[in-house]
Amino acid sequence: MGFFDKLRDGRQDKVFEEKLLYLKKYHRDAELISYKVENIVEIPESWKKIFCMNKKEERSAATIKCWKALFANELRNTILYLEENLLDVNLIKYQGKYSILYSILSSNKKVLYYEGGNCNTTHFPGKLQSKLDNLPNSIVRFYQELHNGFFYYASGGMGLLESNDIVVFDDEEWGILDDLKHPLKIYLPTTFGIFGSGMGGYVAVDLSDCDSCKATLWFSNRQPKYDINFWDIVDEWIALGMQG
């Protein structure tokens, strides 16, 4: 092995160690899976193909291709940002579950880590599962074919929530209800927060009134905004979050 090969490998080892230390700050049992993945039965076949690639550029390109195949229109700004700023993807594991870790370069040149959950583990809350036929198909497709949520690793927010964390509005106490300036336009028993801002904001879908992906921008301390397109606001917020 030549000098430059050793230098390159040393840098890669340092990046690996720094990334693992970061992961363990939030989940002590976090692992970066660096071995072959063919025999991991819990993950999708598409993931196995990606993580059998040796070069990070190939892994990143293959991952973005999956996004494009499913959500080229709905998440065009997110995909564009990933195309220009996705540095690497890694297979990680913590608390017994596998995810994809996205290393994304922000606008101020800081690396941000996002997590894409394993769609094989998607399990919606019972109250949502019983009404799943009413949830827009594109949202179901995201969770069942791409990721079980896609969010900022450190907080679990700033993105599409993991299916287990989807907010059942009727189970929550909303102080804002007493301060609404106009009559409530959603029905709480059929409303679910799918995207979480991490700061008390949600993009919520009322299953009794969600044709054409109609959604509500809901805040715990501000007036809601009704009749927005789910994917338009989600795409905008994810892209803004990744920019940092």
Side-chain angles (χ1 to χ4, degrees):
M1 180 182 291
F3 171 78
F4 289 107
D5 290 327
K6 290 182 180 179
L7 184 61
R8 181 197 60 207
D9 291 345
R11 287 174 177 169
Q12 290 176 344
D13 290 343
K14 184 179 180 181
V15 170
F16 184 92
E17 291 173 2
E18 290 176 347
K19 194 176 292 186
L20 185 58
L21 284 174
Y22 174 85
L23 296 178
K24 287 181 174 292
K25 283 171 58 179
Y26 303 97
H27 302 285
R28 293 181 63 184
D29 64 337
E31 302 175 54
L32 272 169
I33 308 299
S34 57
Y35 48 81
K36 295 296 183 181
V37 300
E38 295 95 331
N39 298 323
I40 302 178
V41 298
E42 294 92 339
I43 65 175
E45 289 300 316
S46 58
W47 288 22
K48 294 180 182 181
K49 294 177 182 178
I50 289 169
F51 292 109
C52 281
M53 299 175 180
N54 292 321
K55 295 182 179 180
K56 62 181 181 180
E57 294 82 6
E58 294 176 344
R59 295 195 298 269
S60 296
T63 303
I64 293 170
K65 186 177 180 180
C66 293
W67 284 72
K68 281 186 171 181
L70 292 166
F71 292 96
N73 294 320
E74 294 91 341
L75 294 171
R76 53 191 176 277
N77 293 315
T78 298
I79 292 170
L80 179 61
Y81 195 83
L82 288 174
E83 285 184 310
E84 297 177 350
N85 298 282
L86 181 59
L87 302 176
D88 197 3
V89 289
N90 298 97
L91 184 64
I92 64 171
K93 181 182 181 182
Y94 65 88
Q95 297 175 357
K97 63 181 182 180
Y98 292 92
S99 299
I100 291 181
L101 183 74
Y102 289 70
S103 301
I104 302 167
L105 191 65
S106 70
S107 57
N108 62 358
K109 306 306 178 184
K110 179 182 178 182
V111 179
L112 302 179
Y113 296 102
Y114 275 72
E115 179 179 346
N118 181 359
C119 58
N120 287 350
T121 64
T122 294
H123 182 73
F124 295 107
K127 290 183 179 180
L128 176 54
Q129 186 67 45
S130 64
K131 303 179 180 68
L132 204 57
D133 289 345
N134 299 95
L135 187 66
N137 181 64
S138 57
I139 299 176
V140 176
R141 193 169 74 247
F142 186 95
Y143 280 88
Q144 293 185 343
E145 298 183 33
L146 186 58
H147 279 309
N148 179 12
F150 178 77
F151 43 84
Y152 186 53
Y153 173 83
S155 66
M158 293 171 59
L160 289 148
L161 299 171
E162 188 173 356
S163 57
N164 287 335
D165 294 329
I166 287 175
V167 177
V168 182
F169 268 42
D170 202 37
D171 291 347
E172 302 292 321
E173 293 185 7
W174 301 104
I176 189 64
L177 293 175
D178 297 327
D179 299 319
L180 293 179
K181 296 179 180 178
H182 303 286
L184 184 65
K185 290 180 63 175
I186 56 175
Y187 183 50
L188 295 184
T190 56
T191 299
F192 300 87
I194 310 293
F195 180 102
S197 71
M199 297 177 288
Y202 297 94
V203 183
V205 174
D206 179 356
L207 301 191
S208 68
D209 184 20
C210 59
D211 290 344
S212 301
C213 279
K214 184 165 71 171
T216 295
L217 189 54
W218 182 267
F219 302 97
S220 59
N221 57 359
R222 289 161 54 188
Q223 299 298 307
K225 295 181 180 179
Y226 301 105
D227 302 333
I228 61 173
N229 179 272
F230 178 86
W231 289 112
D232 285 351
I233 191 66
V234 165
D235 186 32
E236 179 183 348
W237 275 15
I238 291 178
L240 285 172
M242 293 191 302
Q243 290 172 29

